Each structure stands twice: as C-alpha cells, then as structure tokens.
Amino acid sequence: MKDIKNVEYGLEKIFEGAQDFLPLLGTDYVEFYVGNAKQAAHFYKTAFGFLSDAYKGLETGCKEYASYVLKQDKIRLVLTTPLNSKSPINEHLTKHGDGVKVIALWVEDATKSWEETTKRGAKSFMKPTIEKDEQGEVVRSGIHTYGDTIHIFVERKNYNGVFLPGYQKWESDYNPEPTGLKFIDHMVGNVGWNEMNQWVKFYEDVLGFVNFLSFDDKQIHTEYSALMSKVMSNGNGRIKFPINEPAEGKKKSQIEEYLDFYEGPGAQHIAVATDDIITTVSKLRARGVEFLSTPPEEYYKAVPQRLQAHNHKLREDIETLKGLGIMIDADEEGYLLQIFTKPVEDRPTLFFEIIQRMGARGFGAGNFKALFESIEREQEKRGTL
Ligand code: FE2
C-alpha cells in the first residue's frame, strides 16, 4: 500500500472545470429490482430502520408490478417486484439477481437534462414523460449507464404527492426506529476489464462530471488481488460515483467476483452517511445487519499514528470503534469513520457502507488493504478467491 499522499487530489477542478449543463440537486431515489419486494421492504425497515413511505401495486390499480418506497432522512429506496412472468423486470432478476436498477437524480428540468445528455451521446432509456395526479405533475426522463443500470432524471417542483403520481401513502402499524442514516454519500459502480476509462469519459462528456480522485492497482492491492478506481463528481459535489475495474493479481479480485455473480457491470455499494456512526452501527448490529470482520489488532494500534501524521485528534474512543469494527482513515483535511456490510443478497454483489466524515473528503484509501483482506476472507469461504 502506498501512502495516501500519492492519491491525486483535484477538488478545485470540480469548481473550475465543471459544466453546468446538468445541474443536479441530489439523489432522488435508488430503485432495486428484487424477487420479493414485500419481504425486502421488511428487511430494510427491521434491519436498517427505514420507514414506510409509499406503495404502488394491485391495490392502487397497477397489475404489472409492486413497488414499496422506504425513507430514512434524505434517503429514498424503491423496491420493485414483477407480478407476472411477462414483465421485462424478470429478465433483469434472472440475470442479475436482486440489485440496483435505477439511480435517480433530482433535477430542476428533466426535459433539458435528457436533451443535454442524449445530445452528448447518452443512450435514451425514457423520453421526457409527464405523469399527473391530483397532487400535481412530475416529469421524468432516463438514460442508460454501465451494464443494465439506468439514470432517471426526476423533476418534481410541481408535485406535492408522497412520491410519484400513481403511488399512495403507505401507512404501516410496524415502524421500527430509524438508525441515524442521513443521505447517500456516494454510490460505486463496478465495470468490466479495461472499461473504467470509457465510463470515466462517459461521466465527463455526457454528464459534465469531473474525475477528482484516482487509485491505481499499485495503490489498491493486497497480496492476492487488485483493483483500480476513479471517483467522479458532479459540479456541486453532491453526487459522487466512484467507478471500479478489476486488475490482475495472484487470485481473483472482489470486482471480478462481483462481475461473475452479477453477470456484468452494476452498482457495487451504496455509502450512506451518519453523523453518529457509533450509535448507528450499534443499532444495525443489534438488528442483525452483518458486517465484514473487524480488522486485526495491529490495524488499530497504527491508528493514532496515522491521525497524528495529519495533525488530527480522534474524538471517538478507539476501543469502542474497535469493538464495533469501525475503521478510521485520515487525510490533510480531517478523518473519516467507515464500515462495510456483507452483501445483502445471496449472490456476493451489492453491499452497504456506513460513513461518518470528520472533515475528510476521501474514500478511506488508507483502509483499502485491511478492507480487502477482510473481503478476501469471505471470498475464501465462498470458494471464489
Ligand atoms: Fe465507498
């Protein structure tokens, strides 16, 4: 592992070089295609503390699919399951298993967003479409990104309803406590061999993003495996999409394992922010969320030194962090606390990251080695290393 200083920082480029042809207000929702949305919704409520928000299905007159919308602070998840064998959603499920289909972006103008991106080479998924009900109207449009993943642009300034036209409020008697998850910090995509730069170019040219951090396989590797990663950000920094590709190593990298089991590129992890990771992770653990194994003793012994090297002082108790398996990384601007779940489905594909930023804007490069060794222990058990 190289020192974090080797990481190429270029945040100022975001403000200098950013294009404003696609102003993004934030992540609007993330939609998963799943085998049983009713049960998945129960899992996200019980384990992660999401709240029931909206519903569409047979009871609302939709005979094709059922969708459950869950919310926690600014995070909105949509879980969708087809209601018959003819739905095209089945193809996605058969091929990929449960996974992320849509990363929806909240915009002022969904028509202009579609025009600007398709003009620059995006493949259209959905032309600008107006949906209406008595609560007003929403305009949505969409483009394809890596694999079978889609970006939908959502314009909701003329809408007062719960989610989208056609959805009704989902009132439930079962409302477990939230766990302190606030917003999506970043969402990572895994792409195929030698495809990372092509997708970096796509986000630059088509969406006006900039590449503000890069890690090569010399920086991200263990004894056995390696990967490369480039972090893309939109102009105001609200949307961050790191993109990973596998690299050659002695054994199979986790990215390759993902590509094998997802049967192609797709969303690898969703990082959700909390402002109290100790409370959040304590609650998640108590509710049965499974995390990767805690790094070894030597890892925690080295933490004070790593923080001192950047003149930062850890505010949290290191023994508490160690007890929960939370990792610590530091850069010039501050430090961050993070932890990763095991995959949340049977295929070793999508997982979650819980992150608390204490000034640092990086992604935990100093933790990559400990993290990947932990993932490799899981791969070993699965026979996929
Ligand atoms: Fe991450």
Side-chain angles (χ1 to χ4, degrees):
M1 285 297 290
K2 291 279 168 63
D3 192 276
I4 191 170
K5 279 180 203 139
N6 283 356
V7 168
E8 170 195 315
Y9 274 88
L11 268 176
E12 66 285 355
K13 274 193 273 180
I14 292 180
F15 306 103
E16 273 173 22
Q19 308 285 310
D20 58 2
F21 64 81
L22 186 66
L24 301 175
L25 302 170
T27 309
D28 195 282
Y29 64 89
V30 178
E31 182 169 13
F32 298 65
Y33 281 175
V34 297
N36 188 332
K38 186 176 213 161
Q39 290 188 5
H42 194 282
F43 171 76
Y44 283 105
K45 286 174 70 171
T46 304
F48 282 89
F50 280 86
L51 298 169
S52 301
D53 190 46
Y55 171 77
K56 182 176 183 176
L58 292 174
E59 295 80 354
T60 67
C62 176
K63 294 188 169 56
E64 299 305 310
Y65 57 88
S67 288
Y68 293 77
V69 184
L70 297 156
K71 261 195 107 165
Q72 188 162 181
D73 208 317
K74 293 190 174 62
I75 312 163
R76 183 153 47 198
L77 305 183
V78 182
L79 305 163
T80 297
T81 290
L83 292 172
N84 60 64
S85 64
K86 287 169 197 71
S87 164
I89 298 170
N90 291 293
E91 282 167 45
H92 199 278
L93 278 174
T94 305
K95 184 165 186 195
H96 304 298
D98 287 10
V100 171
K101 175 64 180 176
V102 179
I103 302 166
L105 303 167
W106 177 29
V107 296
E108 260 313 292
D109 187 336
T111 305
K112 186 167 177 283
S113 300
W114 183 86
E115 286 167 359
E116 294 289 348
T117 50
T118 51
K119 188 171 83 185
R120 287 173 168 82
K123 189 176 150 204
S124 174
F125 172 75
M126 178 170 112
K127 284 187 180 170
T129 307
I130 301 169
E131 296 157 297
K132 286 183 189 180
D133 66 12
E134 42 306 328
Q135 300 299 319
E137 64 172 53
V138 170
V139 187
R140 289 195 301 158
S141 60
I143 58 170
H144 290 264
T145 178
Y146 47 78
D148 289 326
T149 318
I150 302 296
H151 286 310
I152 298 277
F153 301 115
V154 186
E155 171 189 330
R156 51 171 71 257
K157 58 180 182 276
N158 298 316
Y159 194 63
N160 294 313
V162 58
F163 176 51
L164 294 174
Y167 282 78
Q168 68 180 32
K169 179 117 194 73
W170 172 19
E171 307 273 9
S172 174
D173 294 331
Y174 177 60
N175 301 299
E177 281 263 294
T179 57
L181 304 177
K182 300 270 181 194
F183 59 89
I184 294 179
D185 184 275
H186 59 276
M187 266 189 82
V188 181
N190 282 344
V191 300
W193 290 95
N194 306 314
E195 287 177 6
M196 180 176 67
N197 287 333
Q198 166 197 328
W199 288 105
V200 164
K201 204 169 156 30
F202 171 84
Y203 279 100
E204 282 173 349
D205 295 352
V206 174
L207 287 97
F209 280 41
V210 290
N211 171 213
F212 88 95
L213 272 178
S214 299
F215 309 98
D216 65 22
D217 49 341
K218 288 176 203 71
Q219 290 163 318
I220 315 183
H221 72 99
T222 66
E223 189 186 345
Y224 298 121
S225 64
L227 63 87
M228 293 183 270
S229 188
K230 286 191 176 177
V231 184
M232 306 307 295
S233 173
N234 80 316
N236 61 22
R238 285 185 203 175
I239 309 289
K240 287 181 228 67
F241 292 145
I243 299 167
N244 296 334
E245 92 170 42
E248 292 290 350
K250 276 191 218 160
K251 295 192 178 182
K252 188 184 272 193
S253 93
Q254 47 162 317
I255 311 302
E256 223 178 323
E257 184 197 36
Y258 175 102
L259 295 170
D260 284 355
F261 280 92
Y262 199 68
E263 298 191 19
Q268 180 213 33
H269 75 265
I270 303 173
V272 286
T274 170
D275 51 24
D276 180 0
I277 198 166
I278 290 174
T279 303
T280 297
V281 174
S282 302
K283 285 184 180 171
L284 295 173
R285 283 197 181 274
R287 291 169 183 215
V289 173
E290 296 180 319
F291 292 95
L292 291 172
S293 58
T294 301
E297 188 62 36
E298 312 87 77
Y299 170 89
Y300 286 97
K301 276 196 183 137
V303 165
Q305 229 178 322
R306 283 170 58 195
L307 282 161
Q308 269 161 23
H310 296 289
N311 288 320
H312 305 310
K313 201 174 167 334
L314 190 66
R315 285 187 219 169
E316 295 72 16
D317 172 43
I318 187 124
E319 290 302 318
T320 309
L321 296 174
K322 187 167 89 178
L324 290 166
I326 296 165
M327 298 190 290
I328 304 101
D329 192 27
D331 61 24
E332 283 74 17
E333 295 166 297
Y335 67 93
L336 61 80
L337 304 165
Q338 63 182 174
I339 188 167
F340 298 83
T341 73
K342 289 185 182 176
V344 289
E345 54 289 298
D346 289 295
R347 296 194 198 190
T349 53
L350 181 82
F351 58 89
F352 284 83
E353 170 184 349
I354 315 298
I355 184 166
Q356 181 179 353
R357 293 188 182 277
M358 301 297 285
R361 284 193 280 185
F363 292 83
N367 288 329
F368 286 164
K369 191 167 190 287
L371 168 65
F372 297 160
E373 283 169 353
S374 182
I375 293 177
E376 283 169 4
R377 286 194 285 276
E378 297 297 321
Q379 280 182 266
E380 186 101 62
K381 288 183 210 159
R382 295 193 282 261
T384 58
L385 184 61

